[in-house]
């Protein structure tokens, strides 16, 4: 009887082990099948697109070595992108393009001849150079892409000098012959090229003929318009004297205010 119980227990244990082994085998089979299905799944819909291999500064001519072709999902490709490096090489960056960024048409300009600076001038604008020194040029801290205000001063004698801001929020296109803001170091310059409208260019030329032009550096986040406060109207003072037998009456008029005083003779 005792032997039969041991045999029954052994059979039961073998049965449980067999069931567990079959379950593990089934789980392994399903896992392997899922992996095979994933590998056999079709690749996502991707397209070729041109991207920058490094940072391309503003106003720099783009070389083929600055570009690469990468694959991106169709829905992630920005509008105006290019599929061939030949379509981009030779163009000029009208804005800074960062490494890994997809190149789009609105960030570049075709160089049809001449200097690269002419390509980055916005439509309807002009480039004009202003002679400066190390002080006028904000102690050399001007870089292409900065925004400045233009001040004009005139007067023969030092005590008679007057100055006023004639232009605000003007874009710096170049400093001397430098059109790329790759360095953030002070450089003594002799000329600064600004992007202005034709009317603004006339103001600068007139100011340089009448006196000196100076530049003040703006914070790029300062987008508030510069509004000059209206000067207070000067009050006109008028005194009228009326003489009586014993007193003198003085009437004082200041604008719309009228006062009267009596003074003994």
């Amino acid at each position: 009887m005792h032997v039969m119980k041991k045999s029954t227990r052994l059979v039961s244990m073998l049965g449980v082990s067999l069931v567990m082994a079959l379950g593990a085998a089934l789980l392994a089979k399903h896992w392997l099948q899922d992996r095979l299905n994933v590998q056999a799944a079709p690749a996502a819909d991707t397209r070729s697109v041109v991207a920058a291999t490094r940072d391309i500064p503003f106003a720099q001519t783009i070389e083929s070595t600055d570009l690469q072709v990468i694959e991106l999902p169709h829905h992630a490709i920005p509008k105006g992108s290019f599929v061939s490096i030949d379509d981009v090489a030779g163009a000029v960056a009208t804005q800074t393009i960062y490494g890994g960024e997809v190149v789009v048409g609105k960030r570049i300009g075709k160089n049809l001849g001449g200097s690269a600076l002419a390509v980055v001038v916005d439509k309807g604008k002009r480039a004009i150079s202003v002679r400066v020194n190390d002080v006028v040029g904000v102690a050399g801290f001007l870089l292409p892409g900065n925004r400045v205000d233009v001040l004009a001063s005139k007067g023969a004698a030092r005590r008679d000098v007057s100055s006023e801001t004639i232009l605000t929020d003007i874009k710096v296109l170049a400093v001397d012959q430098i059109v790329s803001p790759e360095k953030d170091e002070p450089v003594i310059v002799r000329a600064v090229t600004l992007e202005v409208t034709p009317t603004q260019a006339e103001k600068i030329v007139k100011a340089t003929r009448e006196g000196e032009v100076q530049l003040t550096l703006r914070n790029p986040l300062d987008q508030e318009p510069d509004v000059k406060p209206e000067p207070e109207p000067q009050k006109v003072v008028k005194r009228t004297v009326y003489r009586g037998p014993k007193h003198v009456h003085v009437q004082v008029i200041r604008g719309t205010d009228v006062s009267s005083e009596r003074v003994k003779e």
Side-chain angles (χ1 to χ4, degrees):
M1 187 71 177
H2 184 67
V3 175
M4 291 181 63
K5 287 183 178 181
K6 283 187 176 181
S7 300
T8 303
R9 186 179 299 174
L10 181 59
V11 172
S12 299
M13 293 177 63
L14 289 174
V16 172
S17 299
L18 182 60
V19 171
M20 293 178 65
L22 290 174
L26 290 174
L27 289 175
K29 180 181 178 181
H30 286 301
W31 178 84
L32 182 60
Q33 187 64 42
D34 291 339
R35 296 292 298 176
L36 292 174
N37 290 338
V38 169
Q39 294 178 2
D45 182 18
T46 61
R47 303 287 176 85
S48 298
V49 63
V50 177
T53 59
R54 66 177 186 88
D55 291 353
I56 304 174
F58 162 77
Q60 179 169 308
T61 301
I62 303 173
E63 306 291 342
S64 58
T65 54
D66 301 330
L67 307 169
Q68 63 180 336
V69 176
I70 62 175
E71 295 292 324
L72 285 180
H74 181 264
H75 66 274
I77 297 177
K79 186 177 180 181
S81 59
F82 300 89
V83 297
S84 173
I85 290 178
D86 293 337
D87 295 335
V88 181
V92 176
T94 57
Q95 301 178 34
T96 299
I97 302 174
Y98 298 97
E101 181 181 352
V102 175
V103 181
V104 294
K106 63 182 180 181
R107 306 289 293 274
I108 65 174
K110 291 294 184 180
N111 192 347
L112 302 178
S115 67
L117 181 63
V119 181
V120 300
V121 179
D122 286 342
K123 186 177 181 180
K125 297 292 186 69
R126 304 291 187 269
I128 183 171
S129 293
V130 180
R131 291 183 61 84
V132 296
N133 54 43
D134 57 332
V135 176
V136 176
V138 196
F141 277 99
L142 277 182
L143 292 173
N146 285 151
R147 315 289 298 197
V148 296
D149 292 346
V150 181
L151 283 71
S153 60
K154 56 184 177 180
R158 178 172 298 181
R159 67 179 60 182
D160 297 328
V161 171
S162 63
S163 63
E164 64 172 327
T165 301
I166 58 174
L167 299 174
T168 61
D169 199 20
I170 302 299
K171 183 179 180 180
V172 177
L173 291 178
V175 178
D176 272 348
Q177 301 298 317
I178 303 172
V179 295
S180 174
E182 292 181 322
K183 298 181 180 180
D184 191 9
E185 299 175 357
V187 178
I188 304 302
V189 300
R190 295 292 175 263
V192 174
T193 302
L194 308 175
E195 182 184 67
V196 295
T197 64
T199 302
Q200 291 172 334
E202 293 172 1
K203 288 185 177 181
I204 292 177
V205 172
K206 183 175 184 291
T208 56
R209 294 293 185 271
E210 295 177 345
E212 293 184 353
V213 170
Q214 293 184 315
L215 308 176
T216 57
L217 183 63
R218 293 179 65 98
N219 187 317
L221 301 179
D222 183 7
Q223 300 296 327
E224 294 295 328
D226 294 320
V227 179
K228 294 183 179 180
E230 292 291 336
E232 295 184 1
Q234 295 183 352
K235 295 181 179 180
V236 179
V237 178
K238 181 180 180 182
R239 295 176 181 269
T240 305
V241 179
Y242 300 94
R243 295 183 179 274
K246 298 182 179 180
H247 298 86
V248 176
H249 293 270
V250 179
Q251 187 182 57
V252 181
I253 302 175
R254 295 184 177 89
T256 58
D257 298 331
V258 179
S259 62
S260 180
E261 300 176 2
R262 189 173 66 173
V263 182
K264 289 184 179 182
E265 289 188 308

